[in-house]
Amino acid sequence: MVCEDPTTVSPSISAVEVLNSMGDGKKYITSEELKEHNKPSDLWISIQGKVYNVTDWAKEHPGGDIPLLNLAGQDVTDAFIAFHPGTAWKHLDKHFTGYHLKDYQVSEVSRDYRKLASGFAKAGMFEKKGHGVIYSLCFVSLLLSACVYGVLYSKSFWVHMLSGAILGLAWMQIAYLGHDAGHYQMMATRGWNKFAGIFIGNCITGISIAWWKWTHNAHHIACNSLDYDPDLQHLPMLAVSSKLFNSLTSVFYGRQLTFDPLARFFVSYQHYTYYPIMCVARVNLYLQTILLLISNRKIPDRGLNILGTLIFWTWFPLLVSRLPNWPERVAFVLVSFCVTGIQHVQFTLNHFAARVYVGPPKGNDWFEKQTSGTIDITCSSWMDWFFGGLQFQLEHHLFPRLPRCHLRSITPIVQELCKKHNLPYISLSFYGANVMTLQTLRTAALQARDLKNPAPQNLVWEAFNTHG
């Protein structure tokens, strides 16, 4: 709502700001003055030069309060365009403070990015979801049926192990569908996407869609920030940069990422333990889901998330219990986890070896941060089903609402834009990305063994960009 008396907007607005006009009848504040409104109790943002007070809205924001808090006191136009459909613009007016940003500027990169996003929207690409969802659902149903049949109707140990592998493959495909639902790409409406997320996420995989959205939205906003991006905060087991040796404070978790002797020991051998950790990474996701659902944090649809999770912990133990003995049960679970571990590896390949930084994300370098913090995986089109569209990591980060069926087609356009603005576009083979990730982990591991003179840079990144 526009305030008739600007002095009542916020206690921190001074008389200088009130009188700061440019003769066009509008009231203005500067970017420096906007930065003062960066607290949960006083949270302002700017979109296309108009200043909005979203202090109260942050508590109701469908994407959670973390994205707004991370970008508080800044112009967030590019991030807003990336995450919101055109229908969201009409909801902004009720949060308008009456102020405009006096020194609002648009970089050439942002100008081109917004033009590209507008073109995709006009072409209806965000609404054209293709038939991939139907195919994926049929494929997942077939995999789950084969798994259950193998467990219930065969007495062969190897059939049981194959069933475990099939279950792991099904979980991988379901995770891609859950990812699509979480970004509102899967179904036609937000309500159906919510239902799909809880059903295929909580009920079938045991991983809460509420947990996923909480962490994933923060990851997108603060891509590869060591203290803001939860997807890089894996101490004491893993560290992608020696900057983590300084025991940074995780803004996301609100606690210190302590680099103690135990963390130093694990990190020193992380290039050896990386794949074994990925094989059992699912256990951590189950734990994170439970911790969030029992926490005091405000969680959208907490009851439905708890119900869905309970459904998983009913059917999955029952299925495992139908195996003839405990060795087979343990082996079945481990095989399913190991197959799903391939997906955990893929998630880390997209970011672990990319450039990292310390500090909050900035709204005025959205495109640049996405290009520097992501790595694409090169593959043939017939393998797209296996990677779930996430091999086009940069394309997805730039246009998170874009259905995966369009990501391959926009790749040349994104590459050309990166080339035009001299920005990195890294695309490696699956093997090459594994090698680069292991090199990054090994570099940090060797630095962890000798903390007398730790190098603060990600050396693999520097070498890549220096020598191509």
Side-chain angles (χ1 to χ4, degrees):
M1 182 174 70
V2 179
C3 298
E4 296 296 327
D5 180 6
T7 60
T8 65
V9 174
S10 170
S12 59
I13 291 291
S14 65
V16 175
E17 295 173 55
V18 173
L19 297 175
N20 189 10
S21 65
M22 299 177 66
D24 56 4
K26 296 179 180 178
K27 298 294 188 293
Y28 290 87
I29 61 173
T30 65
S31 296
E32 286 301 314
E33 292 164 336
L34 178 61
K35 287 180 182 178
E36 298 176 8
H37 305 276
N38 63 352
K39 299 176 287 296
S41 59
D42 181 23
L43 204 169
W44 289 19
I45 57 174
S46 164
I47 299 175
Q48 288 194 337
K50 296 180 73 173
V51 180
Y52 301 94
N53 184 345
V54 293
T55 306
D56 295 329
W57 173 240
K59 304 181 184 77
E60 308 298 330
H61 184 226
D65 59 346
I66 296 295
L68 292 172
L69 290 171
N70 285 353
L71 293 173
Q74 303 182 57
D75 182 83
V76 300
T77 305
D78 289 344
F80 183 86
I81 290 173
F83 286 99
H84 299 83
T87 54
W89 290 88
K90 64 184 179 183
H91 299 292
L92 290 175
D93 286 345
K94 60 185 177 182
H95 305 295
F96 184 45
T97 62
Y99 288 92
H100 296 261
L101 205 56
K102 183 177 182 180
D103 48 353
Y104 173 67
Q105 295 179 338
V106 183
S107 68
E108 286 302 314
V109 178
S110 290
R111 197 181 307 276
D112 286 345
Y113 169 68
R114 296 174 193 181
K115 187 184 299 182
L116 201 57
S118 176
F120 293 162
K122 289 178 181 177
M125 294 176 67
F126 293 105
E127 286 75 38
K128 296 176 182 177
K129 305 180 188 301
H131 301 295
V133 172
I134 297 175
Y135 298 150
S136 294
L137 288 172
C138 292
F139 183 44
V140 166
S141 299
L142 182 63
L143 291 174
L144 291 175
S145 298
C147 169
V148 173
Y149 183 86
V151 170
L152 298 183
Y153 296 101
S154 175
K155 296 182 180 180
S156 168
F157 171 83
W158 294 111
V159 170
H160 292 162
M161 295 306 100
L162 178 61
S163 298
I166 290 174
L167 178 60
L169 182 59
W171 278 339
M172 288 177 61
Q173 295 302 310
I174 292 167
Y176 296 139
L177 289 171
H179 177 268
D180 292 347
H183 280 295
Y184 304 120
Q185 300 172 2
M186 184 176 172
M187 300 295 187
T189 66
R190 179 182 165 191
W192 279 110
N193 275 300
K194 180 192 296 186
F195 170 79
I198 292 176
F199 178 71
I200 64 181
N202 297 61
C203 298
I204 302 182
T205 71
I207 299 171
S208 170
I209 190 67
W211 171 84
W212 179 88
K213 293 190 73 169
W214 177 49
T215 59
H216 197 68
N217 287 342
H219 160 67
H220 267 272
I221 291 294
C223 180
N224 273 33
S225 167
L226 293 174
D227 49 343
Y228 280 77
D229 184 353
D231 284 9
L232 293 186
Q233 297 173 1
H234 302 296
L235 285 175
M237 304 306 299
L238 298 170
V240 298
S241 169
S242 60
K243 294 175 182 178
L244 287 166
F245 301 167
N246 297 321
S247 295
L248 300 176
T249 296
S250 168
V251 177
F252 180 80
Y253 290 112
R255 60 177 174 80
Q256 190 177 52
L257 303 172
T258 305
F259 188 72
D260 53 20
L262 180 64
R264 179 179 179 180
F265 172 78
F266 283 129
V267 171
S268 295
Y269 299 96
Q270 63 182 358
H271 49 307
Y272 298 119
T273 60
Y274 168 64
Y275 290 115
I277 289 173
M278 293 299 104
C279 286
V280 294
R282 199 165 194 81
V283 176
N284 179 55
L285 302 189
Y286 293 146
L287 179 62
Q288 293 296 326
T289 287
I290 295 171
L291 290 177
L292 177 65
L293 294 182
I294 65 174
S295 71
N296 293 325
R297 181 178 180 80
K298 183 178 179 180
I299 303 170
D301 307 301
R302 183 193 296 266
L304 291 175
N305 275 269
I306 292 175
L307 177 61
T309 305
L310 289 175
I311 290 174
F312 170 80
W313 286 111
T314 299
W315 76 258
F316 182 53
L318 281 175
L319 178 68
V320 174
S321 70
R322 296 303 299 269
L323 293 166
N325 53 64
W326 276 106
E328 281 198 30
R329 292 167 188 163
V330 173
F332 175 89
V333 172
L334 286 178
V335 168
S336 66
F337 283 10
C338 287
V339 171
T340 314
I342 298 172
Q343 187 175 66
H344 295 296
V345 168
Q346 180 198 344
F347 292 157
T348 59
L349 298 184
N350 291 137
H351 296 286
F352 271 23
R355 188 175 185 179
V356 298
Y357 66 101
V358 175
K362 294 178 179 163
N364 60 0
D365 63 355
W366 170 260
F367 193 98
E368 294 91 326
K369 277 293 190 293
Q370 307 308 316
T371 59
S372 65
T374 56
I375 296 174
D376 279 18
I377 306 298
T378 304
C379 72
S380 300
S381 58
W382 65 271
M383 283 294 289
D384 285 353
W385 68 273
F386 185 79
F387 293 102
L390 297 184
Q391 72 272 34
F392 304 111
Q393 190 68 194
L394 174 56
E395 290 79 0
H396 168 63
H397 266 254
L398 291 174
F399 306 100
R401 294 188 302 108
L402 192 67
R404 65 168 109 157
C405 60
H406 301 301
L407 294 177
R408 182 174 287 276
S409 65
I410 72 168
T411 293
I413 302 173
V414 173
Q415 289 175 337
E416 187 61 32
L417 194 56
C418 290
K419 182 179 180 181
K420 176 182 178 180
H421 295 286
N422 196 29
L423 294 170
Y425 183 97
I426 304 177
S427 184
L428 305 171
S429 68
F430 186 72
Y431 172 79
N434 272 272
V435 170
M436 193 171 178
T437 297
L438 288 175
Q439 289 176 335
T440 298
L441 294 174
R442 182 176 182 274
T443 298
L446 296 180
Q447 292 169 354
R449 296 179 188 182
D450 180 13
L451 292 182
K452 295 179 181 178
N453 187 28
Q457 294 86 12
N458 181 321
L459 300 185
V460 175
W461 170 267
E462 297 296 338
F464 185 87
N465 283 274
T466 301
H467 304 294

